[in-house]
């Protein structure tokens, strides 16, 4: 057992981004990745195949978000099956006992939050604001009632989740 204290983060008020956030947060290496993605995507002539790939990728990100946050566990084989069957099949995985009702709801929430992000990224007229970030957090945590916190004695406890705050 480690003698190190658990990692904790103090709550801080969300501040609006600076006026020059695009320049301040720009990463030139991501431009090269984007160019490569566009080139590779253009090699696929069937738009339905591109859409299917993107749907699978978004579903994978949604599932792995909850796994990373330790909200649930999903066997890798079940994850692959969900990717192949699609989001509409989550109910079938729950009915077969491969996915809890809570995990099913959280995965759906995470997928919807990801769609919010993709909508923001795809439309330059949308503005990234503190309100948007709070709305995103509320959507992401819609089915999550608690989160891990630390009491004054350093013990991890479940505390009510302040959605969108």
């Amino acid at each position: 057992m480690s003698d190190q204290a658990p990692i904790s983060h103090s709550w801080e008020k969300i501040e609006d981004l600076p006026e020059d956030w695009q320049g301040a947060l720009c990463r030139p290496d991501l431009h090269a990745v984007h160019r490569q993605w566009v080139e590779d995507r253009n090699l696929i002539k069937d738009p339905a195949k591109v859409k299917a790939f993107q749907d699978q990728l978004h579903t994978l990100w949604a599932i792995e978000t909850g796994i990373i946050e330790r909200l649930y566990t999903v066997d890798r084989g079940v994850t692959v099956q969900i990717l192949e069957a699609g989001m509409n099949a989550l109910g079938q995985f729950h009915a077969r006992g491969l996915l809890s009702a809570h995990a099913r709801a959280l995965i759906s929430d995470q997928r919807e939050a990801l769609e919010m992000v993709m909508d923001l990224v795809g439309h330059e007229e949308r503005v990234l604001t503190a309100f948007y970030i709070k709305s995103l957090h509320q959507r992401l945590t819609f089915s999550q009632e608690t989160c891990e916190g630390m009491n004054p004695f350093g013990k991890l406890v479940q505390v009510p989740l302040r959605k969108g705050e």
Side-chain angles (χ1 to χ4, degrees):
M1 186 160 190
S2 173
D3 291 333
Q4 294 179 337
I7 297 172
S8 65
H9 301 278
S10 299
W11 180 88
E12 294 179 20
K13 184 178 191 256
I14 295 175
E15 300 290 335
D16 279 332
L17 291 171
E19 290 290 326
D20 68 336
W21 70 269
Q22 289 174 317
L25 300 177
C26 182
R27 286 189 41 200
D29 57 317
L30 293 181
H31 293 295
V33 171
H34 180 258
R35 276 192 304 276
Q36 186 65 51
W37 162 247
V38 170
E39 288 175 21
D40 291 349
R41 185 179 63 193
N42 289 336
L43 294 174
I44 303 171
K45 301 298 180 196
D46 184 356
K49 287 183 180 179
V50 173
K51 172 97 172 77
F53 172 75
Q54 288 175 320
D55 284 345
Q56 283 188 332
L57 187 58
H58 294 174
T59 300
L60 177 64
W61 289 343
I63 293 168
E64 290 187 348
T65 294
I67 293 170
I68 289 168
E69 295 293 332
R70 297 186 319 241
L71 300 175
Y72 51 78
T73 58
V74 177
D75 290 337
R76 185 70 184 155
V78 173
T79 299
V80 171
Q81 289 178 42
I82 293 171
L83 295 178
E84 291 173 359
M87 287 291 291
N88 293 333
L90 287 180
Q92 296 170 15
F93 288 93
H94 170 61
R96 291 174 29 210
L98 299 172
L99 193 64
S100 72
H102 189 61
R104 174 185 173 188
L106 292 171
I107 291 169
S108 294
D109 294 345
Q110 291 151 3
R111 177 64 193 266
E112 289 181 31
L114 179 60
E115 292 304 322
M116 284 179 67
V117 171
M118 292 301 159
D119 185 48
L120 177 76
V121 171
H123 297 90
E124 290 184 21
E125 67 273 5
R126 298 283 308 258
V127 179
L128 183 61
T129 62
F131 175 79
Y132 176 84
I133 292 169
K134 290 176 182 183
S135 298
L136 180 62
H137 184 259
Q138 188 172 29
R139 178 66 256 167
L140 182 64
T141 60
F142 184 77
S143 299
Q144 186 181 347
E145 296 304 320
T146 63
C147 62
E148 271 188 355
M150 190 176 296
N151 70 16
F153 307 106
K155 182 178 179 186
L156 292 178
V157 294
Q158 291 295 310
V159 297
L161 182 60
R162 298 171 60 173
K163 302 172 188 182
E165 293 185 37

